[in-house]
Amino acid sequence: MKKLRSVPALVFALVGIAIAGAPAWAQQSASSPDLIRVTVTVEGTKGNPNPPAIGKEDIVVFQEKDRRPVVDWAPATGENAGLDLAIVVDDAIDPGVGVNLDDVRGFVRGQPATTHVAIVYGSLGNARVLQNFSADHEAAAKALRLPMGNFNSPGSIFMAVSDLLGRWPAGGNRRAVLLISDGIDTFYGVRESMPGSNPSLQTAIDKAQRAGVTFFAIFASGGGHFLHSSFLVSNGQGCLSRMADETGGEAFFQGFQTPLSFRPFLEDLNKLLGQQYILTFRAALGKKASLQRLRLRTEQHGVELQAPDRVYVPAAAK
């Protein structure tokens, strides 16, 4: 088992558009726009799987190259426990993944009441919402279906992701996506399917960082000729890894095939979601709003901090 952290839409066939709304997460305080909120996952290192408690005084924050003040550091519990979790299934993957969907249903049913789950299918570059965000986990679990297996259809899973991010409802909950896909995106050509040159992937990463959404991914095999191309499969896994890594999440693989079971990965994901904190720091505002580099450091031993590579910083008031 291997664990890694990591053109307009073609058809507007959307279901249940209660998900529409402003894409921006409540990253900035209305009264103090320089106060930036970030979801951070605290992980133990290889020899220390259970990280110790981390306090505000243990966190050092850098915006670009400059150290910035930490204003607040709170565990994602109690009043901070709210989570909007979208499970996105790539409709182009092999329907054989159906044997794993019971694992996903069990994962959904086991979520706490503070987690609102949406079920979304990525198809032809669009996000088809089968279940809007809801605390009714049974309804969400029942909304899962077999993917269509549109192996050679035009479109991009990362365009579908961008479509979803652009219509995410406003609110102050943490935001996360579990993406089940092979990550293969040849919309712009085979060369552009590579993780470092895929324009659809870059747009999705930019939007996720802007909206404060953490991505987790489980690789599942596509079909058709993609299944037999190690080059494309490697590119797809690289794209999933980059999406997860640059938004503060993780990507899970088991070789180049659909895992025999999703359960170990979903157990890891549950653990990670339970080890999240809400960081608030005071940013330096510039002349223009932009995505800016974020780097975190801690002096605590045996601890890794997973956070997005960039955060959205608004412009200073004129």
Side-chain angles (χ1 to χ4, degrees):
M1 183 182 301
K2 184 179 181 183
K3 181 176 76 171
L4 298 179
R5 329 189 210 267
S6 37
V7 170
L10 301 177
V11 178
F12 290 91
L14 306 174
V15 180
I17 306 301
I19 200 169
W25 183 43
Q27 287 182 300
Q28 292 85 39
S29 165
S31 58
S32 300
D34 60 340
L35 295 182
I36 309 297
R37 297 175 68 228
V38 184
T39 299
V40 181
T41 304
V42 175
E43 293 191 67
T45 56
K46 187 175 181 180
N48 183 31
N50 298 310
I54 302 294
K56 174 184 171 182
E57 66 280 1
D58 299 317
I59 303 298
V60 179
V61 176
F62 292 89
Q63 175 191 345
E64 297 292 342
K65 296 181 179 180
D66 299 323
R67 183 169 176 174
R68 302 303 305 166
V70 176
V71 176
D72 193 30
W73 172 259
T77 57
E79 64 181 13
N80 295 313
L83 172 66
D84 292 338
L85 173 63
I87 296 177
V88 180
V89 181
D90 187 343
D91 232 350
I93 59 176
D94 194 315
V97 76
V99 299
N100 303 92
L101 289 185
D102 277 344
D103 292 339
V104 182
R105 293 185 183 99
F107 168 77
V108 170
R109 292 184 176 110
Q111 292 304 300
T114 50
T115 296
H116 291 73
V117 179
I119 303 299
V120 182
Y121 280 72
S123 179
L124 298 173
N126 292 278
R128 298 173 181 260
V129 182
L130 303 191
Q131 170 65 52
N132 293 299
F133 286 108
S134 173
D136 187 344
H137 299 153
E138 184 62 30
K142 289 180 177 178
L144 284 162
R145 60 160 173 77
L146 291 178
M148 301 298 292
N150 300 320
F151 306 135
N152 301 311
S153 297
S156 159
I157 185 58
F158 299 110
M159 286 182 181
V161 163
S162 291
D163 182 29
L164 173 66
L165 293 171
R167 297 183 288 118
W168 201 290
N173 287 345
R174 289 173 294 149
R175 296 176 164 188
V177 167
L178 170 59
L179 175 60
I180 301 172
S181 174
D182 62 4
I184 296 174
D185 174 8
T186 59
F187 186 84
Y188 289 101
V190 171
R191 177 180 294 182
E192 285 70 24
S193 70
M194 299 175 67
S197 57
N198 186 324
S200 303
L201 172 64
Q202 185 63 60
T203 298
I205 290 172
D206 292 347
K207 287 191 173 185
Q209 292 172 336
R210 170 69 179 87
V213 179
T214 305
F215 267 76
F216 301 89
I218 297 178
F219 175 82
S221 300
H225 63 277
F226 291 167
L227 182 63
H228 305 291
S229 172
S230 58
F231 175 76
L232 288 175
V233 171
S234 180
N235 284 351
Q237 291 189 341
C239 287
L240 295 178
S241 289
R242 186 179 168 214
M243 184 84 200
D245 186 61
E246 295 190 15
T247 61
E250 291 194 9
F252 302 95
F253 309 145
Q254 191 175 64
F256 279 3
Q257 303 292 330
T258 300
L260 295 177
S261 172
F262 284 176
R263 185 173 300 174
F265 302 131
L266 296 171
E267 289 174 351
D268 282 354
L269 175 53
N270 260 333
K271 184 177 180 181
L272 293 173
L273 293 174
Q275 295 173 181
Q276 290 188 326
Y277 288 73
I278 305 300
L279 163 69
T280 304
F281 74 95
R282 191 173 298 278
L285 306 185
K287 294 181 179 180
K288 295 182 178 180
S290 64
L291 286 167
Q292 299 201 9
R293 292 289 174 187
L294 175 70
R295 183 165 59 90
L296 306 184
R297 193 178 71 196
T298 179
E299 298 300 325
Q300 284 274 15
H301 295 294
V303 170
E304 293 182 359
L305 303 178
Q306 300 299 328
D309 285 358
R310 299 180 299 169
V311 292
Y312 177 77
V313 178
K318 295 182 180 180

